[in-house]
């Protein structure tokens, strides 16, 4: 390799270093300037909002002046980051205000820039802009865009479809569940949690007709969502839906079913059903969970069931069963089992515990 | 030309070093692109799942934080207090007293009003050293605290005991002396909430250096750069490792190591693989690889992820002796883990992990100190034989040095752009200077520590964990704030 080539490489590397230095300096200076500018937008917005909500007597708010002020602060379509900041401020303010002032604020926001910014974002090619637009639409309660959200419910991007589905729940309530069997893509845990929460907050009266229509769906995420809804709304009459999934082949569905069933108490038939399902569960940890639940909701100890497990179960299950029996007045049964094991050991047989 | 063996060896080695170096440089440049993408994507995603949303949510996975403690009497009460204050709606804390010989347990019992529980029937899916007693607090405000008192079995064994007693979906491992950001659990749980196609089996976050910073009630109130050069360089090293390395791996689902100081795992999967391996000092890497192998074996799509935010702070070695010991231990851990899982090497069955990730670790993590050591040896030997063209060597050295500086500078740039921990001009200049001094004052110590570790493994020299003498960060009393 020639020395000249190495010298050229060194010079190029030095140039790269200088570029990176420049980028660091620019980033730091820009951040300082940006912070100042955002503070200015925030102060102006606070003044405008308070003047509008609590005007001085005989003084009408001058909307033209307000619009001009925002324009001068850079709230124009060519500066989307400023627009975004203002939208975030609007959402934050709207969230914290209730009653008559909430309606007044909604009117104000339709009269000042940005105009239709959130709806325009739905046409963006970038997922994070589109998803943000959807979120703003539902946060600002702009239900005139419900149809647009329905179109995006199966979007290929997980964030876009998640926000669209949450928006649909907010706008349509229980009716939105009829779309569940028609969803084509996966739903995340967060999506399920958010949907259940929004239903509880905005539509606390369950509409079982729509929920039961959704029972037709056999997709794991739909099953999970329905079980969470049944749990959240404490729908005792629909608990059989959860029970049927306790011994499902899929670990996650079983996990969700175990979690959801834990807040219900069951009648004897249902208890019998879950005891039968207990034997079909392959995962020991989940078996333990179910065992604890059975013990918690049972009025009396089902001795044959526990004894069967004590003599035929997995080692860890046996220990848990021994714990339950011991602490519920069946010490003799536990002792008898251990004596038997001891005897077997003395006979040279394998001791399971 | 006559056949000259030394000349032949000289050129073979030269081309080997050149090829090795160029490959590494290419990989680092690739890592910059990947990590930049990953950090940007993470920031965008975070906007749609903010901590305020999570903190008020129901139904989110429950988490147990497992903190092993061995002779931590000086700091245990404060550390537990800080761990109890973490924000998470469904959170439990298990402190495992791993057979401490000091007053760790007594202090915990007294401060948190603990009472012991019968542990006769406690199930232990993972075998551990004998558990003596389980303690819970009588006070309602500490109801999420459990203390396990067990015989000494080492950090991994203590972690395994914690896994056994946890009843939550997720378990987070940390060291009792780490300072954890208050909202860290809310951020760490994000990947578990957001993933749908692949199961998230482990999640890690960046770890920062806290030497000389100010801490109050277990919370970092003023982050300062260390005054000493060794921990200062480690700040740059950690930024580079987490921001460039781990984030890049995360982007291609190639993370094999989630740091033992701060990692969140799915409890059911850890139990399936029988917990931490107690026979290696590289238990975190070993667990990561074993978990991945398990998921490959059972053919369940999975992910191990990293989030770029610094959520855990730790004290770095403050002097050369402790630093060398630490790197010696890490090197032994790496060696042991690579040896344990050598069946992965170019094994098609394990897809990308077998064909790319494991060989990368073999060649460029395990192999780098050996290559560097060989490089220094050849420089000396060939220099003495008069085979080296010193003008060219100096130019080549300058190139390599500048490349290293560029990688560090870019890491610092990505950090400054995305995070506000070190945002004053003075701090950034100090970080850059530390990065440029690293190859002269710090890197040789690392190579020494690593080669020492390998030497011990090759020749079977016994070694112990060793205690790190901590200088400590400044802890302010309440009235000082």
């Amino acid at each position: 390799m020639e020395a000249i080539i190495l010298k050229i490489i060194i010079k190029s590397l030095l140039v790269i270093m200088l570029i990176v230095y420049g980028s660091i300096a620019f980033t730091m200076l820009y951040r300082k300037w940006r912070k100042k500018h955002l503070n200015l937008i925030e102060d102006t917005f606070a003044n405008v909002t308070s003047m509008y909500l609590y005007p001085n007597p005989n003084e009408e708010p001058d909307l033209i002046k307000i619009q001009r002020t925002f324009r001068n602060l850079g709230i124009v379509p060519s500066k989307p980051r400023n627009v975004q900041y203002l939208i975030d401020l609007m959402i934050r303010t709207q969230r914290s205000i209730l009653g008559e002032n909430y309606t007044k604020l909604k009117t104000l926001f339709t009269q000042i820039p940005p105009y239709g910014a959130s709806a325009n974002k739905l046409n963006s090619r970038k997922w994070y802009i589109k998803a943000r637009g959807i979120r703003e639409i539902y946060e600002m309660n702009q239900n005139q865009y419900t149809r647009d959200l329905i179109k995006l419910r199966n979007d290929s991007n997980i964030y876009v479809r998640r926000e669209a589905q949450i928006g649909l729940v907010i706008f349509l309530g229980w009716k939105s569940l009829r779309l569940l069997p028609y969803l084509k893509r996966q739903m995340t845990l967060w999506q399920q949690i958010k949907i259940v929460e929004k239903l509880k907050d905005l539509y606390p009266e369950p509409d079982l007709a729509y929920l039961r229509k959704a029972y037709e769906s056999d997709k794991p995420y739909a099953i999970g969502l329905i079980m969470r809804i049944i749990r959240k709304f404490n729908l005792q009459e629909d608990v059989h839906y959860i029970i049927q999934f306790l011994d499902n082949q899929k670990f996650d569905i079983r996990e969700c079913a175990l979690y959801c069933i834990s807040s219900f108490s069951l009648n004897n038939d249902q208890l019998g059903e879950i005891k039968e399902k207990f034997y079909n569960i392959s995962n020991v940890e989940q078996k333990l969970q179910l065992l604890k639940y059975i013990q918690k909701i049972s009025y009396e100890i089902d001795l044959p069931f526990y004894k069967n497990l004590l003599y035929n179960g997995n080692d860890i299950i046996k220990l848990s069963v021994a714990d339950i029996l011991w602490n519920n007045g069946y010490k003799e049964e536990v002792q008898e089992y251990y004596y038997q094991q001891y005897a077997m050991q003395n006979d040279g047989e394998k001791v399971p515990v | 030309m006559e056949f000259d063996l030394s000349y032949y060896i000289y050129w073979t080695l030269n081309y080997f070093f050149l090829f090795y170096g160029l490959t590494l440089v290419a990989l680092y440049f690739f890592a910059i692109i990947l990590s930049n993408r990953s950090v940007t994507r993470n920031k965008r995603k975070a906007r749609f799942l903010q901590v305020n949303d999570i903190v008020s949510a129901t139904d989110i996975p429950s988490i147990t934080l497992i903190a092993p403690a061995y002779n931590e009497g000086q700091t245990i009460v404060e550390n537990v207090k800080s761990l109890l204050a973490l924000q998470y709606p469904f959170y439990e804390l298990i402190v495992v007293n791993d057979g401490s010989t000091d007053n760790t347990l007594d202090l915990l019992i007294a401060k948190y009003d603990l009472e012991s529980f019968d542990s006769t029937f406690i199930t232990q899916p993972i075998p551990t050293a004998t558990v003596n007693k389980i303690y819970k607090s009588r006070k309602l405000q500490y109801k999420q605290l459990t203390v396990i008192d067990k015989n000494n079995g080492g950090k991994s064994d203590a972690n395994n005991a914690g896994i056994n007693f946890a009843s939550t979906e997720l378990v987070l491992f940390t060291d009792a002396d780490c300072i954890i950001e208050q909202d860290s659990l809310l951020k760490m749980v994000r990947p578990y909430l957001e993933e749908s196609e692949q199961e998230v089996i482990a999640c890690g976050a960046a770890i920062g250096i806290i030497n000389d910073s100010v801490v109050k009630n277990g919370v970092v109130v003023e982050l300062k750069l260390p005054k000493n050069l060794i921990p200062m360089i480690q700040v740059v090293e950690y930024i580079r490792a987490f921001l460039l390395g781990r984030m890049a791996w995360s982007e291609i689902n190639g993370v094999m190591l989630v740091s033992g100081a701060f990692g969140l795992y799915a409890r059911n999967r850890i139990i399936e693989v029988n917990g931490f391996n107690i026979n290696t000092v590289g238990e975190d890497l070993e667990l990561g690889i074993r978990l991945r192998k398990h998921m490959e074996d059972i053919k369940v799509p999975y992910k191990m992820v990293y989030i770029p935010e610094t959520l855990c702070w730790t004290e770095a070695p403050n002097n050369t002796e402790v630093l060398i010991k630490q790197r010696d231990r890490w090197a032994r851990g790496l060696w042991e883990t690579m040896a344990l899982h050598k069946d992965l090497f170019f094994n098609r069955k394990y897809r990308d992990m077998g064909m790319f990730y494991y060989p990368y670790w073999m060649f460029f993590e395990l192999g780098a100190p050996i290559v560097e050591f060989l490089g220094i040896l050849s420089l000396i030997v060939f220099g003495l034989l008069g085979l080296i063209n010193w003008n060219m060597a100096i130019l080549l050295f300058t190139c390599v040095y500048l490349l290293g500086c560029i990688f560090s500078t870019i890491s610092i740039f990505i950090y400054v752009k995305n995070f506000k921990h070190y945002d004053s001009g003075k701090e950034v200049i100090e970080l850059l200077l530390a990065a440029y001094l690293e190859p002269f004052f710090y890197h040789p110590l690392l190579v020494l520590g690593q080669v020492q570790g390998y030497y011990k493994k090759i020749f079977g020299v016994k070694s112990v964990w060793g205690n790190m003498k901590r200088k400590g960060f400044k802890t302010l009393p309440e009235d000082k704030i």
Side-chain angles (χ1 to χ4, degrees), chain B residues 140-156:
Chain B
L140 199 62
Q141 72 260 42
Y142 304 131
K143 67 171 182 186
Q144 74 269 47
L145 171 67
T146 303
V147 175
I148 299 172
D149 179 40
K150 66 180 274 292
N151 291 351
N152 184 263
K155 188 184 165 192
S156 300

Side-chain angles (χ1 to χ4, degrees), chain B residues 83-192:
Chain B
L83 294 176
L84 283 169
L86 294 183
Q87 298 167 10
Y88 197 77
F90 310 104
Y91 165 61
E92 284 174 26
L93 170 64
I94 294 181
V95 178
V96 186
N97 178 42
D98 191 35
S100 296
T101 50
D102 69 351
N103 58 350
T104 302
L105 184 65
D106 298 334
L107 286 169
L108 285 170
I109 291 172
K111 172 68 190 174
Y112 297 103
D113 196 10
L114 303 176
E115 61 176 332
S116 65
F117 278 82
D118 181 21
S119 58
T120 315
F121 293 109
I122 298 285
T123 52
Q124 294 213 65
I126 307 167
T128 64
T130 310
V131 172
N132 303 317
K133 272 181 181 169
I134 310 292
Y135 294 90
K136 296 282 277 181
S137 178
R138 291 186 190 93
K139 290 184 179 167
L140 199 62
Q141 72 260 42
Y142 304 131
K143 67 171 182 186
Q144 74 269 47
L145 171 67
T146 303
V147 175
I148 299 172
D149 179 40
K150 66 180 274 292
N151 291 351
N152 184 263
K155 188 184 165 192
S156 300
D157 194 61
N159 277 334
N160 287 341
I163 298 165
N164 285 337
F165 286 86
S167 57
T168 53
E169 289 155 72
L170 304 173
V171 282
L172 186 127
F173 301 101
T174 187
D175 294 335
D177 54 7
C178 280
I179 302 287
I180 297 175
E181 291 281 322
Q182 297 291 292
D183 58 359
S184 56
L185 300 184
L186 297 166
K187 289 176 176 167
M188 291 284 275
V189 82
R190 268 182 194 151
Y192 293 89

Side-chain angles (χ1 to χ4, degrees), chain B residues 339-354:
Chain B
L340 269 172
H341 297 286
K342 55 183 179 294
D343 58 309
L344 278 172
F345 197 63
F346 289 117
N347 188 338
R348 279 176 190 276
K349 184 187 162 198
Y350 294 105
R351 302 182 302 152
D352 288 349
M353 181 171 57

Side-chain angles (χ1 to χ4, degrees), chain A residues 1 21 31 162 259 285, chain B residues 48 59 267 392 416 436:
Chain A
M1 194 184 282
Y21 286 147
R31 184 184 286 164
R162 181 176 91 187
Y259 169 71
E285 284 293 310
Chain B
F48 295 97
D59 280 9
R267 180 174 173 266
M392 284 293 282
V416 169
Y436 304 152

Side-chain angles (χ1 to χ4, degrees), chain A residues 44-86:
Chain A
T44 312
F45 176 75
N47 286 336
V48 167
T49 314
S50 56
M51 265 168 50
Y52 189 81
L53 293 180
Y54 312 103
N56 291 329
N58 307 320
E59 195 181 317
E60 279 294 304
D62 184 351
L63 283 170
I64 304 291
K65 199 177 153 193
I66 293 173
Q67 284 165 6
R68 200 174 299 136
T69 313
F70 278 126
R71 206 176 306 129
N72 291 340
L73 278 171
I75 309 293
V76 286
S78 58
K79 292 184 177 168
R81 293 182 69 198
N82 290 348
V83 172
Q84 188 57 55
Y85 190 70
L86 185 67

